[in-house]
């Protein structure tokens, strides 16, 4: 199971958003065996002067998202959304993918 979360952030808020999200990802990885995370900022010349697009990747290795000790996605999403909402320039978009 992979979850890709993307949203836009004003450039002046990018550093605190990245720091906050990294902290949440590290804490959740410590709590959940098999959870792998990544964090990206879109590298596109059309975005250099406007809001940045941030992409969070949450990946459960081997489908462990449904394991008994894994928290529901809504808990993780709610926590990260609450921590970053004030800095966002629009909505968070969450997309779920499974390996084909």
């Amino acid at each position: 199971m992979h979850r890709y979360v993307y949203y836009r952030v004003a450039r002046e808020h990018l550093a605190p958003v990245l720091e906050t999200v990294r902290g949440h990802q590290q804490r959740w990885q410590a709590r959940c065996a098999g959870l792998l995370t990544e964090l990206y900022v879109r590298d596109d010349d059309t975005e250099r002067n406007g809001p940045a697009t941030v992409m969070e990747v949450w990946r459960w290795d081997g489908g462990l998202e449904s394991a008994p000790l894994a928290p529901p996605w809504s808990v993780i999403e709610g926590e990260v959304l609450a921590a970053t909402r004030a800095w966002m320039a629009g909505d968070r978009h969450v997309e779920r993918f499974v390996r084909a």
Side-chain angles (χ1 to χ4, degrees):
M1 176 73 58
H2 293 65
R3 301 224 188 226
Y4 295 90
V5 182
Y6 59 95
Y7 47 93
R8 296 173 65 89
V9 174
R11 292 277 166 188
E12 63 267 20
H13 301 305
L14 185 57
V17 165
L18 296 177
E19 181 180 341
T20 298
V21 172
R22 277 191 192 106
H24 284 280
Q25 287 181 325
Q26 289 168 353
R27 281 191 295 282
W28 280 111
Q29 280 184 282
R31 294 180 199 167
C32 302
L35 175 62
L36 304 171
T37 63
E38 297 173 274
L39 187 59
Y40 298 95
V41 176
R42 184 174 173 185
D43 183 21
D44 188 330
D45 288 339
T46 62
E47 295 214 353
R48 299 249 185 247
N49 297 317
T53 300
V54 175
M55 169 83 67
E56 302 168 19
V57 179
W58 300 79
R59 188 166 52 105
W60 282 263
D61 196 23
L64 293 175
E65 182 179 3
S66 60
L69 298 178
W73 169 252
S74 61
V75 173
I76 295 171
E77 172 60 11
E79 183 181 290
V80 178
L81 173 61
T84 58
R85 181 179 296 158
W87 294 311
M88 290 174 29
D91 295 328
R92 284 172 63 90
H93 304 277
V94 180
E95 301 201 11
R96 182 178 140 181
F97 288 80
V98 294
R99 189 167 284 130

